[in-house]
């Protein structure tokens, strides 16, 4: 257990529905990241926050995706009008920026299946 | 798009043997990390090597970095069945602000047979 928790662990939804995932990072970490991972591939960066500010978004993050970190603690990732191509594992990670190191601690992920 | 590529994609060895995985990347980096992922789980950080380092050890792990070839290798010595997992390299690009995105390779699936 890395200390980063994600909820739910699994989500099955029908195409066109909205889904929301939650991530609780390690409490003293100021950076929070979202990645997406499809079967047999490495994680792909989606977005990250420093405290409550969203500092970078990947081109993978279409306008159907929105992420928030309202109080600089937990974060939510919402996908609107889900498509079958959104089926993947969504990973959250957190880090405490210290010098040039960027060691990220990952949650167990939320596996999304869009039917 | 993924910039890292791991080689081999899959590796099967017997317990007690050494396992070597390679990673190549494309951009200048601040550091390179290796992560491990058990099936259906999140990633766990194993080791970090800075761009000005050439070799680093941690327990049964040995990592090398060749910035001129933009490549790294991870050696696991005296492998155990519990080492069975996917292994990913991840780079922290030099041109990015420190503390931002990691770019992962596609991973090597290691199977250690008892």
């Amino acid at each position: 257990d890395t200390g980063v928790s994600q909820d739910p662990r699994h989500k099955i939804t029908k195409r066109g529905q909205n889904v929301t995932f939650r991530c609780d990072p390690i409490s003293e970490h100021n950076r929070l990241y979202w990645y997406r991972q499809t079967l047999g591939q490495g994680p792909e960066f989606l977005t990250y926050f420093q405290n409550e500010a969203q500092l970078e978004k990947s081109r993978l993050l279409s306008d159907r995706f929105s992420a928030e970190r309202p109080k600089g603690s937990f974060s939510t990732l919402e996908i609107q009008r889900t498509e079958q191509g959104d089926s993947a594992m969504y990973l959250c990670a957190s880090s405490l920026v210290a010098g040039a190191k960027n060691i990220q601690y990952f949650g167990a992920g939320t596996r999304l299946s869009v039917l | 798009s993924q910039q890292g590529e791991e080689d081999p994609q899959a590796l099967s060895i017997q317990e007690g043997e050494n396992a070597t995985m390679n990673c190549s990347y494309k951009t200048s980096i601040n550091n390179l990390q290796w992560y491990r992922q058990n099936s259906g789980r999140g990633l766990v950080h194993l080791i970090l090597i800075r761009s000005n380092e050439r070799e680093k050890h941690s327990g049964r792990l040995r990592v090398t970095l060749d910035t001129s070839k933009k490549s790294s290798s991870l050696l696991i010595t005296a492998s155990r069945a519990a080492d069975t997992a996917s292994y990913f390299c991840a780079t922290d690009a030099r041109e990015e602000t420190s503390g931002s995105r990691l770019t992962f390779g596609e991973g090597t699936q290691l199977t250690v047979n008892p």
Side-chain angles (χ1 to χ4, degrees):
Chain A
D1 183 6
T2 62
V4 178
S5 60
Q6 292 188 245
D7 182 67
R9 290 293 315 279
H10 303 274
K11 179 70 177 179
I12 300 173
T13 191
K14 293 182 179 179
R15 190 174 51 188
Q17 298 294 306
N18 299 344
V19 294
T20 299
F21 310 141
R22 177 181 169 122
C23 171
D24 287 89
I26 295 172
S27 59
E28 61 266 29
H29 284 184
N30 54 355
R31 295 218 172 184
L32 186 148
Y33 309 79
W34 286 99
Y35 293 85
R36 182 175 72 184
Q37 184 179 26
T38 53
L39 200 61
Q41 301 294 313
E44 295 178 293
F45 172 81
L46 293 178
T47 188
Y48 88 94
F49 295 83
Q50 176 157 320
N51 301 314
E52 65 274 11
Q54 189 173 16
L55 295 186
E56 187 179 357
K57 293 193 286 187
S58 162
R59 284 170 292 181
L60 292 174
L61 212 67
S62 75
D63 56 6
R64 296 184 298 105
F65 287 70
S66 63
E68 293 183 345
R69 193 183 184 197
K71 298 182 180 178
S73 57
F74 73 91
S75 175
T76 58
L77 178 67
E78 181 183 17
I79 308 174
Q80 297 182 326
R81 305 181 303 281
T82 52
E83 302 173 355
Q84 288 185 325
D86 296 332
S87 295
M89 175 79 89
Y90 290 85
L91 294 164
C92 173
S94 68
S95 71
L96 179 64
V97 178
K101 289 189 175 182
N102 183 18
I103 295 173
Q104 297 184 12
Y105 296 81
F106 283 80
T110 293
R111 181 168 296 284
L112 173 66
S113 297
V114 181
L115 305 178
Chain B
S1 62
Q2 295 292 323
Q3 73 158 358
E5 295 181 359
E6 273 94 343
D7 169 45
Q9 288 189 323
L11 180 61
S12 181
I13 60 175
Q14 296 299 122
E15 210 165 23
E17 294 180 341
N18 295 342
T20 300
M21 290 160 268
N22 303 297
C23 164
S24 61
Y25 57 91
K26 296 177 182 175
T27 64
S28 296
I29 61 171
N30 287 317
N31 58 63
L32 184 143
Q33 304 178 48
W34 285 89
Y35 286 80
R36 163 197 169 125
Q37 184 178 36
N38 285 61
S39 180
R41 307 290 295 179
L43 286 82
V44 176
H45 172 80
L46 295 176
I47 192 166
L48 178 149
I49 186 166
R50 298 178 190 269
S51 60
N52 61 354
E53 296 176 316
R54 292 296 166 259
E55 187 171 313
K56 200 160 183 182
H57 297 255
S58 176
R60 293 185 296 114
L61 305 180
R62 173 180 170 251
V63 172
T64 62
L65 179 64
D66 186 335
T67 53
S68 67
K69 296 181 179 178
K70 290 187 166 60
S71 67
S72 173
S73 68
L74 172 68
L75 168 68
I76 304 174
T77 60
S79 64
R80 305 166 182 168
D83 294 330
T84 295
S86 293
Y87 292 81
F88 296 91
C89 68
T91 54
D92 187 354
R94 184 179 296 277
E95 59 265 27
E96 301 283 353
T97 302
S98 179
S100 60
R101 67 168 69 191
L102 291 179
T103 301
F104 287 85
E106 295 185 350
T108 293
Q109 172 60 50
L110 173 66
T111 302
V112 181
N113 302 299

